[in-house]
Amino acid sequence: MYGYNISFESLSSSPPEEDKDDQNRIDYGCSSGFGAATARLFARKGWNVVATMRQPESGAELAKLDNVLVTRLDVQDRGSVDAAVAAAVARFGKIDVLINNAGFGLWGVFESTPRDKVLEQFEVNVFGVMDVTRALLPHFRANRSGVIVNVSSGAGVFTLPLISLYCASKFALEGSRRPSPMSWPISASR
């Protein structure tokens, strides 16, 4: 997990008692794996959680929790990104943390991988992250605070056999998450 000016350890602590109603996160890719685990962890710690996934019916267990909103977000559908952000703000008033978590690994020999699969790999792992981040930056700016955490991979700093396209998408994510201060002119500290 990578973030800007924040560690995962400090994010996973319970919010201070006086701030419990203010600590709101939006996670996507929460139907399984890291996304589902972090959504459960933060909900248990007292945070309000917006757990998004392509098929919200797979989040039935999360939806039973009072401080969790399960809603649809497919990073390949920009309308669903805007709708998820609007639903999150409508339910909790504001978002404090964005966890960019959705992604998948494409395995195989580069030469035999169809172009449409290469495009899908980058659409989900790179452009999807950028689109969701771009959707929340105005909200963070208006609230003069916000934290962005990108879930990445060691494959973003070294390559492995048979996953060159996955590695390429993670290298792109790593490159985009280290912008110069002028790239994203926003102060995300309180």
Side-chain angles (χ1 to χ4, degrees), residues 62-169:
L62 283 170
K64 292 176 185 175
L65 303 172
D66 290 336
N67 58 332
V68 176
L69 168 65
V70 174
T71 191
R72 182 178 181 276
L73 190 153
D74 181 341
V75 297
Q76 293 181 286
D77 174 1
R78 289 189 190 150
S80 77
V81 171
D82 294 337
V85 170
V89 172
R91 169 81 179 266
F92 296 120
K94 75 174 205 167
I95 301 302
D96 300 294
V97 179
L98 165 64
I99 305 288
N100 284 313
N101 180 59
F104 76 98
L106 186 60
W107 295 74
V109 178
F110 169 76
E111 180 181 14
S112 64
T113 305
R115 186 173 196 281
D116 62 323
K117 290 309 229 177
V118 175
L119 291 172
E120 182 183 19
Q121 180 78 100
F122 278 81
E123 180 71 26
V124 172
N125 291 4
V126 181
F127 305 126
V129 169
M130 292 177 177
D131 288 342
V132 176
T133 300
R134 205 176 350 257
L136 273 164
L137 283 174
H139 179 78
F140 288 164
R141 189 175 293 110
N143 288 299
R144 300 180 51 88
S145 69
V147 174
I148 300 166
V149 177
N150 291 333
V151 176
S152 188
S153 169
V157 292
F158 58 85
T159 59
L160 296 167
L162 299 177
I163 60 168
S164 64
L165 295 168
Y166 174 73
C167 291
S169 72

Side-chain angles (χ1 to χ4, degrees), residues 9 15 53 58 61 111 140 161 174 177:
E9 291 78 23
M53 51 200 75
S58 66
E61 287 301 312
E111 180 181 14
F140 288 164
E174 287 298 309
R177 77 168 193 85

